[in-house]
Every structure is written in C-alpha cells, then in structure tokens.
Amino acid sequence: MTSAAPQSLARWLNAPVDTLTVDVRMDAGGRAVLIACGELVHGCAQTLAEALAELPPGTRRVDVDLSGVTFMDTAGLGFLDILDDHGRRHPVQVTATGWAGQPRRVLELAGLDTTDPLHPPADGTGPVRPEPRVASAVALERAERLLQLQTEIEQLRQAIASRPVIDQARGILMATHACTPEQAWDILRETSQRSNIKLRTVAAAVTKGVRSDGPPPPEEVRTALRTAIAHSVGV
C-alpha cells in the first residue's frame, strides 16, 4: 500500500514538484518496511501518520527507508516525532535510515545522528537523543536551526531564479552603453539602491523596456538608472 502527500512548494526555477509517497511492505515476521520517496515538506508528516495507522495488528518492527527523499525542511522534525511517538505507544522498534544529500545535511545542522536520528550510537560517538521530559526544549532548538536553514535555502532559490533576468539586463546595458560586465552590475545595483526597488525588479524593468511592445521602466527606475549610468560610464 502507498500513501501520498499533497504537492509541496515550488522548487528551484519553478520546476515540477514531487509528492512524498510512503510505500509499505510487510515481511513474514511482522516487520514493516516503509519506503519514503520525494520531498519531506509541510503536510508530509500526516502522510506518514496515515501509513503507520494502516499497519496491521501484530507489527513488531517499523523500518523507514529515507534514501528516496531528495529534499527536507522543518517538516522533518514532525516526521521524526511521529515515528518516535509510534514506537513509544505500541511499543515497537522504529528506525529511520538512508539519509543522503540535502536531508542528511539538515540532520547534521540540527545536531542529529545522520545514520538513524531515532537511535544514535550507544558508544557516545553521535548526538544523544534526549529524554522525553526535555524533548520539547531540544525540539524547539532544532526547529529554530532548521528554520534558519530553510530561510537560507529560500534565499538561494530566489537568487537562482533572479539570475537569468539580471544577466539579460547586464547584457543590455553593456550593449547600449559600451560598459564592462562589472560596470553593468554596478549600474543595476546603484539603481536598485537609489530607487529602493529590488535588484531583480529593476533588471526585469530594463529587459522589458527594450522590447518594441514593452512598457518603459517606472519613473523612479528611469531617474535612478540615468544617475547610475552617469556615475559608472560618464554619459
């Protein structure tokens, strides 16, 4: 049986998004193997909860394979909490292994064991899982770390999405005013600062303005652009 989560937020450059699927396979000895694939983002923890609720009576062990998860944000904490809670309530042994790529890096930044965050090494070489009475405070600290990471990831996404239009605007300025790539960049940056408009918005206005049917840049952008060009290339 397979459970699936709703579509997650758009990734880099608005590329198609994978849903999280959880495929459940039962062994003869009462062992459930849950294979997760896709993105572990908001809404996906509920998918796991539904898959666990459908496990047959007599399930003695739950092993979750995360090797197919390609992206994870703060929803990963909820995912692990649901697994841990399931193991404590039934009780059954629960593992979460197969972390790789970006999800593994998130575990590292959160101070969690990257082999199995539910069962760190007993020899003290990995992070120690907290006792239940302090779990909420530790979870809050981890959530803050993951939120910071999520913010950095979102900034990177925006930078990647903005790069093409900024490069186009630089090319237009270089061709129009015979300036260098560095001067074109300085012009866009100064225009953004003077007009108090985001750089990618300024770049988009420049690229649209050179089209035969394109709208001219807003007056504040045109004014700031003229000043910035005069400063950089002296025209």
Side-chain angles (χ1 to χ4, degrees):
M1 56 183 175
T2 302
S3 298
Q7 283 195 336
S8 63
L9 297 177
R11 298 180 67 189
W12 279 269
L13 302 179
N14 296 320
V17 181
D18 295 328
T19 57
L20 182 80
T21 60
V22 179
D23 184 38
V24 181
R25 303 174 186 176
M26 296 297 304
D27 289 350
R31 171 175 174 260
V33 179
L34 278 60
I35 302 175
C37 296
E39 294 189 343
L40 182 45
V41 293
H42 180 70
C44 295
Q46 181 60 32
T47 303
L48 172 66
E50 294 173 357
L52 292 172
E54 294 176 0
L55 294 179
T59 300
R60 298 181 178 181
R61 178 186 176 102
V62 178
D63 294 328
V64 183
D65 180 1
L66 283 301
S67 58
V69 174
T70 57
F71 179 83
M72 181 176 79
D73 61 14
T74 53
L77 286 177
F79 193 91
L80 291 175
D81 286 343
I82 289 175
L83 282 176
D84 188 45
D85 181 67
H86 181 83
R88 294 179 188 275
R89 285 189 298 106
H90 286 281
V92 295
Q93 183 176 358
V94 181
T95 67
T97 60
W99 302 91
Q102 186 268 353
R104 180 185 178 91
R105 178 59 177 159
V106 170
L107 291 182
E108 292 175 349
L109 294 174
L112 294 171
D113 182 71
T114 56
T115 301
D116 180 3
L118 297 177
H119 301 282
D123 58 4
T125 58
V128 178
R129 188 165 180 80
E131 294 296 325
R133 62 179 178 273
V134 298
S136 59
V138 175
L140 179 60
E141 181 181 355
R142 291 172 179 169
E144 291 175 351
R145 292 180 183 177
L146 288 179
L147 181 60
Q148 181 180 3
L149 177 64
Q150 187 178 23
T151 300
E152 294 175 358
I153 291 173
E154 184 60 30
Q155 291 173 348
L156 178 60
R157 286 175 171 171
Q158 293 180 3
I160 292 175
S162 302
R163 183 62 183 269
V165 70
I166 292 175
D167 285 346
Q168 291 175 19
R170 289 174 68 187
I172 292 170
L173 292 173
M174 291 163 59
T176 304
H177 301 285
C179 59
T180 66
E182 292 75 15
Q183 288 174 320
W185 170 256
D186 290 339
I187 291 171
L188 291 175
R189 185 175 56 183
E190 183 178 343
T191 301
S192 173
Q193 294 172 346
R194 288 182 173 275
S195 61
N196 197 27
I197 296 175
K198 292 182 177 180
L199 193 146
R200 64 175 176 272
T201 303
V202 170
V206 171
T207 57
K208 292 178 181 178
V210 299
R211 300 173 185 170
S212 58
D213 58 345
E219 178 59 33
E220 61 269 32
V221 173
R222 294 201 302 269
T223 301
L225 187 61
R226 285 194 296 267
T227 303
I229 292 173
H231 286 170
S232 295
V233 297
V235 295

